[in-house]
Amino acid sequence: MDDFVRIVEVGPRDGLQNEAQPVSTADKIELIRQLSLTGLRSIEATSFVSPRWVPQLADAAEVYAGIERRPGIAYPVLVPNEQGYDRARAVGVEEVAVFTAASETFNRTNTNAGIDESLARFAPILARAQADGVKVRGYVSTVLGCPYQGEVAVSEVVRVARALHDMGCYEISLGDTIGVGTPRKARAMLHAVAAEVPMAALAVHFHDTYGQALANIDACLEEGVRVVDSAVSGAGGCPYAKGASGNVASEDVVYLLHGIGMRTGIDLPALATTGRWLAARLGRQTGSKTGKALAAT
């Protein structure tokens, strides 16, 4: 089995979108510049959602136009609809991501649409992206629990993931949005989805609300997944999931992966330095235990 794991760094988008204090456009561009020098191959740059819903990312076009896109690195962005796709393409975006949930209630709260309505919205985006040569990634939220309805049926996770893959998404990220998953549940969910969608087309995205993210990732690695979403310094959270803590820290994920013999191509000290820089800009300590440990040595 391949021992290379691709980290999808979501800090500039998922990590910053819920920050209460404005983060300057210059700092967002600098964050992406620093991340681009660490060996990461995929850095989610921003989101072309309505500024009314996510004011922190109102400068999406300026951020994307201002970054230096380095060879060998993908800089995907999130788009909620065709208007977002238009805005993204206007500044040269070459990879986008669409997002829905496995929970009907969560999806209506998050996007003002049911799951099937969201999937219908994505159809023209996928068609246009195929014609434009643009890659599309799909996100499925609340795969292990919902803040509104509690348990989420694994069958719904499978249905939504399969629908996105069938529509043309090259990769499906399975997200534990509120961080309630445990290793056994995470493994069972991934196994069920992989029966319908190739494991090579799956990624996992864990929040660390109950401190289970690394254990969940390890369980999913044993199941065969080789793509992991994470955010430098453990930044982020979900604006529609009250109490959900940040994403698992990229530094901690890389430390785990290197410790179990997996390859990432990432310079861990450089990544930790970037994480501490971001934390300082946000006025807090880094959310990465690895980052703190490396700073103390």
Side-chain angles (χ1 to χ4, degrees):
M1 186 176 290
D2 188 6
D3 65 353
F4 179 81
V5 177
R6 178 164 57 89
I7 300 294
V8 177
E9 171 58 54
V10 300
R13 193 276 302 176
D14 198 17
L16 297 183
Q17 69 177 6
N18 203 32
E19 284 295 316
Q21 297 301 315
V23 179
S24 72
T25 301
D27 279 348
K28 293 171 185 174
I29 293 170
E30 174 60 16
L31 172 61
I32 295 169
R33 186 194 71 81
Q34 290 191 33
L35 290 169
S36 297
L37 299 176
T38 65
L40 284 159
R41 299 188 184 185
S42 186
I43 303 168
E44 195 172 58
T46 186
S47 175
F48 285 81
V49 296
S50 168
R52 183 163 64 95
W53 292 109
V54 188
Q56 185 67 260
L57 303 182
D59 58 355
E62 291 79 9
V63 168
Y64 197 86
I67 63 177
E68 177 188 352
R69 283 169 273 169
R70 299 175 66 88
I73 304 176
Y75 297 92
V77 305
L78 210 65
V79 298
N81 48 38
E82 283 194 272
Q83 290 79 12
Y85 181 81
D86 289 338
R87 291 173 57 209
R89 288 293 290 157
V91 291
V93 167
E94 297 173 341
E95 180 177 336
V96 301
V98 295
F99 55 97
T100 188
S103 159
E104 184 77 11
T105 307
F106 184 88
N107 205 62
R108 288 193 178 278
T109 302
N110 196 12
T111 68
N112 199 32
I115 294 171
D116 291 337
E117 293 174 81
S118 290
L119 293 172
R121 275 184 195 165
F122 301 153
I125 296 175
L126 269 293
R128 291 178 58 186
Q130 184 176 21
D132 294 341
V134 171
K135 296 177 69 176
V136 184
R137 193 177 198 240
Y139 280 100
V140 184
S141 301
T142 62
V143 299
L144 292 171
C146 170
Y148 307 109
Q149 71 180 55
E151 292 288 329
V152 173
V154 173
S155 59
E156 273 299 280
V157 180
V158 174
R159 181 181 77 87
V160 176
R162 182 176 58 204
L164 288 170
H165 188 254
D166 289 348
M167 291 171 69
C169 291
Y170 80 94
E171 188 167 274
I172 313 298
S173 175
L174 303 168
D176 181 14
T177 310
I178 56 173
V180 295
T182 53
R184 182 175 293 182
K185 288 185 177 180
R187 184 195 295 268
M189 178 275 299
L190 179 64
H191 183 81
V193 176
E196 300 286 341
V197 179
M199 185 67 79
L202 296 176
V204 291
H205 183 128
F206 290 106
H207 284 215
D208 206 29
T209 310
Y210 291 92
Q212 297 295 297
L214 290 177
N216 292 341
I217 290 168
D218 192 37
C220 291
L221 290 167
E222 291 179 355
E223 193 66 27
V225 79
R226 289 296 180 268
V227 185
V228 178
D229 296 359
S230 59
V232 67
S233 195
C238 178
Y240 297 97
K242 186 177 180 180
S245 66
N247 295 284
V248 64
S250 299
E251 303 95 311
D252 296 343
V253 174
V254 173
Y255 182 82
L256 166 69
L257 292 170
H258 290 179
I260 60 175
M262 294 288 189
R263 297 179 299 112
T264 66
I266 293 170
D267 180 337
L268 181 54
L271 185 65
T273 297
T274 299
R276 292 191 296 272
W277 175 87
L278 175 62
R281 301 303 289 178
L282 298 178
R284 62 177 69 121
Q285 287 193 331
T286 178
S288 162
K289 292 180 174 62
T290 301
K292 292 175 184 175
L294 289 176
T297 58

